[in-house]
Amino acid sequence: EVQLVESGGGLVQPGGSLRLSCAASGFTFRTYSMTWVRQAPGKGLEWVSTMPCGGIRTYYANSVKGRFTISRDNAKNTLYLQMDSLKPEDTAVYYCATYSGCYYKQSYDYRGQGTQVTVSS
């Protein structure tokens, strides 16, 4: 059974940083591409970033490019999202998601339960 467990969310001031983690189990992590999506209050899901399973290429939404960094540790079966220069509009529940195959796309097959990120002074 695929399991994705996010952690690292919290309350941070504008301009601050957070690092989200996603612990994965139930599948062969290194052969799956990984994605972060988010959902702001009252809005739909928004794709944030994807790292295909090769671990070389990364893709970002324009809204986070230059501020967020996605990475993965295949030895630890863990996905990360380093978020810097946070803005109030980054406030959302952040979800880790995954799909089989080593190519880029914004959809996914499985998603975790999410972790809340609140950016406020």
Side-chain angles (χ1 to χ4, degrees):
E1 177 188 2
V2 172
Q3 287 196 326
L4 302 168
V5 179
E6 303 91 340
S7 62
L11 173 64
V12 63
Q13 291 187 343
S17 297
L18 279 176
R19 188 175 84 152
L20 305 184
S21 299
C22 171
S25 62
F27 61 101
T28 306
F29 184 77
R30 59 181 172 80
T31 67
Y32 277 62
S33 297
M34 301 300 296
T35 287
W36 288 98
V37 297
R38 67 186 181 183
Q39 187 165 26
K43 296 188 176 181
L45 281 170
E46 176 189 15
W47 172 78
V48 174
S49 180
T50 292
M51 176 176 268
C53 62
I56 298 175
R57 298 290 300 270
T58 55
Y59 302 85
Y60 298 94
N62 287 336
S63 58
V64 307
K65 197 173 297 182
R67 300 187 298 119
F68 290 11
T69 303
I70 189 173
S71 62
R72 62 191 293 164
D73 185 334
N74 288 345
K76 295 182 178 179
N77 288 358
T78 302
L79 176 73
Y80 303 99
L81 185 68
Q82 176 67 41
M83 305 186 296
D84 299 317
S85 302
L86 282 161
K87 305 175 181 180
E89 51 263 44
D90 294 318
T91 295
V93 178
Y94 284 73
Y95 300 93
C96 167
T98 188
Y99 56 93
S100 178
C102 300
Y103 58 95
Y104 165 66
K105 67 175 182 177
Q106 296 186 9
S107 59
Y108 48 86
D109 298 325
Y110 305 95
R111 193 181 79 198
Q113 294 299 306
T115 186
Q116 175 71 48
V117 172
T118 302
V119 185
S120 175
S121 55

